[in-house]
């Protein structure tokens, strides 16, 4: 018998290249947020030159999405930003904060990969704010509220000495970040032993912040990307109260097993609904977008009752 923490939507995949009215090779790794009673999805697409842009799709129910006719973000032409985005923009995450929506994305260039911060109030126009890391960072999620008077982010610096892990840092203004500390590491000979990185924007629950992250396991047949969960203390998210020992989602459907990159489920967004359910969005094999539902309480309990050490 297999326990299912995430129930896949029966009509997956929910967005594919066939749905996009401009030429793209992939549709995946999307941030999702509720805005004006609609669901807004910002998704990553490879163009046929192998570099990525960010598109936008909308939905009334969180399952059926329609793409707009034009991409939402392409590499910036503005002087400061263009130098660091020339190879593409990837993996957007959207944090609702103080009446605006902040988008963190991976900016690729000849100088490496770093995290850009953009801002929109209406999902019609978008402005670049700043780069909020140096090179060799990916997977940045900003918490949807200030904690202890500071903005808080989780991200994943590259590392050669220790397996790639999740770090926390703090900011007074969303631009300058510091007080960084490691909060969670991969576990040796475990499903996430090679690297881990933050996925969806942390979800506030009454027992803590639910962090849905990805973990990577190397095999003779290439890497497998799965999703796991951790619970961080509400008032002090540097404290991890529990990390589920088991994954909650792994590549199983044909479009998760085979695609642009095989054996990948990768999340950049989830929506907590008022009825205690979660809509979890993930890219399948770096090629299509999928959705599933879960019970938030069940995930929280899994973090607390069947946990492994965070560090
Ligand atoms: C990571 C990133 C993700 C991608 C994953 C699997 O390094 O590039 O955007 O989904 O690999 O290919």
């Amino acid at each position: 018998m297999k326990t299912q923490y995430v129930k896949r939507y029966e009509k997956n995949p929910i967005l594919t290249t066939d749905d996009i009215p401009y030429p793209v090779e992939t549709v995946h790794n999307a941030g999702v947020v509720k805005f004006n009673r609609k669901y807004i999805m910002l998704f990553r697409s490879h163009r046929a030159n192998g570099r990525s842009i960010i598109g936008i799709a909308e939905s009334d129910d969180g399952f059926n999405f329609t793409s707009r006719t034009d991409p939402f973000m392409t590499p910036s032409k503005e002087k400061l930003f263009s130098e660091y985005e020339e190879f593409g923009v990837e993996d957007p995450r959207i944090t609702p904060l103080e009446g605006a929506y902040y988008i963190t994305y991976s900016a690729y260039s000849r100088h490496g990969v770093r995290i850009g911060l953009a801002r929109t109030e209406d999902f019609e126009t978008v402005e670049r704010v700043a780069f909020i890391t140096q090179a060799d960072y990916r997977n940045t999620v900003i918490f949807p509220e200030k904690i202890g008077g500071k903005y808080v982010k989780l991200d994943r610096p590259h590392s050669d000495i220790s397996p790639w892990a999740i770090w926390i840092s703090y900011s007074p203004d969303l631009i300058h970040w510091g007080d960084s500390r490691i909060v969670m590491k991969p576990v040796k000979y475990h499903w996430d032993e090679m690297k881990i990185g933050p996925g969806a924007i942390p979800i506030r629950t009454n027992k803590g912040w639910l962090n849905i992250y990805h973990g990577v396991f190397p095999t003779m047949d290439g890497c497998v990307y799965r999703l796991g969960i951790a619970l961080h203390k509400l008032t002090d998210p540097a404290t991890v109260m529990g990390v589920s020992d088991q994954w909650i989602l792994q590549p199983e459907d044909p479009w998760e097993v085979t695609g642009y990159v095989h054996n990948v489920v990768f999340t950049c967004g989830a929506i907590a609904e008022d009825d205690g359910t979660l809509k979890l969005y993930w890219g399948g094999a770096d090629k299509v977008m999928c959705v599933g539902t879960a019970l938030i309480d069940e995930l929280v309990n899994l973090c607390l009752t069947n946990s492994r050490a965070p560090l």
Side-chain angles (χ1 to χ4, degrees):
M1 192 194 96
K2 203 155 78 92
T3 325
Q4 267 203 335
Y5 288 97
V6 179
K7 188 169 172 290
R8 285 174 165 85
Y9 179 53
E10 62 275 13
K11 293 189 190 144
N12 276 344
I14 55 166
L15 205 69
T16 75
T17 51
D18 293 343
D19 305 311
I20 312 305
Y22 46 88
V24 290
E25 300 294 315
T26 65
V27 174
H28 63 122
N29 297 6
V32 182
V33 80
K34 268 190 181 169
F35 170 70
N36 280 351
R37 272 173 275 139
K38 279 191 183 278
Y39 295 76
I40 298 278
M41 174 185 280
L42 297 183
F43 58 88
R44 168 180 172 193
S45 285
H46 288 89
R47 285 171 157 159
N49 62 1
R51 295 182 178 176
S52 295
I53 57 172
I54 294 171
I56 183 164
E58 290 169 59
S59 167
D60 290 327
D61 62 3
F63 296 103
N64 297 285
F65 282 86
T66 307
S67 171
R68 288 198 198 152
T69 48
D70 294 306
F72 188 66
M73 288 175 73
T74 54
S76 177
K77 303 268 187 296
E78 283 174 62
K79 184 118 181 44
L80 171 68
F81 293 95
S82 59
E83 184 175 353
Y84 295 97
E85 297 185 7
E86 58 163 340
F87 293 175
V89 287
E90 306 187 356
D91 297 5
R93 274 106 174 168
I94 316 164
T95 300
L97 199 55
E98 297 162 355
Y101 297 86
Y102 287 89
I103 302 156
T104 51
Y105 59 96
S106 303
Y108 276 81
S109 74
R110 65 190 68 197
H111 308 305
V113 55
R114 65 191 305 201
I115 297 298
L117 179 69
R119 181 182 188 279
T120 181
E121 286 185 12
D122 54 10
F123 290 99
E124 298 296 334
T125 58
V126 58
E127 54 173 3
R128 266 34 175 207
V129 178
F131 289 109
I132 57 170
T133 70
Q134 295 147 295
D136 279 353
Y137 280 78
R138 286 183 42 86
N139 306 311
T140 293
V141 299
I142 297 178
F143 284 71
E145 61 189 73
K146 277 183 167 175
I147 303 167
K150 299 260 175 71
Y151 298 105
V152 187
K153 74 173 163 72
L154 300 176
D155 53 23
R156 214 282 309 287
H158 289 219
S159 174
D160 283 334
I161 295 175
S162 167
W164 304 14
I166 298 178
W167 290 62
I168 195 165
S169 24
Y170 302 87
S171 170
D173 57 7
L174 287 171
I175 295 172
H176 305 92
W177 294 85
D179 296 332
S180 305
R181 279 199 271 161
I182 189 166
V183 291
M184 242 179 91
K185 278 178 96 149
V187 168
K188 197 82 196 143
Y189 208 66
H190 196 250
W191 66 269
D192 63 3
E193 81 161 355
M194 189 178 165
K195 48 182 174 174
I196 58 174
I201 303 302
I203 291 150
R204 182 186 246 286
T205 74
N206 49 18
K207 293 204 178 143
W209 292 102
L210 183 65
N211 165 15
I212 307 174
Y213 68 96
H214 65 261
V216 187
F217 189 80
T219 77
M220 294 302 285
D221 193 28
C223 290
V224 181
Y225 276 71
R226 300 185 174 96
L227 300 182
I229 44 174
L231 198 69
H232 299 237
K233 197 169 166 187
L234 277 182
T235 51
D236 173 23
T239 303
V240 177
M241 297 186 298
V243 185
S244 164
D245 186 64
Q246 64 190 86
W247 65 71
I248 59 159
L249 193 77
Q250 69 157 347
E252 280 173 18
D253 272 338
W255 46 84
E256 297 164 348
V257 171
T258 308
Y260 191 79
V261 178
H262 296 184
N263 282 319
V264 177
V265 292
F266 192 97
T267 188
C268 293
I271 303 273
E273 303 287 8
D274 293 339
D275 64 358
T277 61
L278 184 80
K279 287 193 178 72
L280 177 62
Y281 296 87
W282 65 90
D286 283 4
K287 176 86 176 173
V288 297
M289 272 310 297
C290 304
V291 63
T293 52
L295 297 173
I296 294 175
D297 279 353
E298 215 171 86
L299 299 182
V300 168
N301 286 339
L302 189 61
C303 293
L304 296 174
T305 55
N306 179 21
S307 4
R308 54 88 156 175
L311 294 172

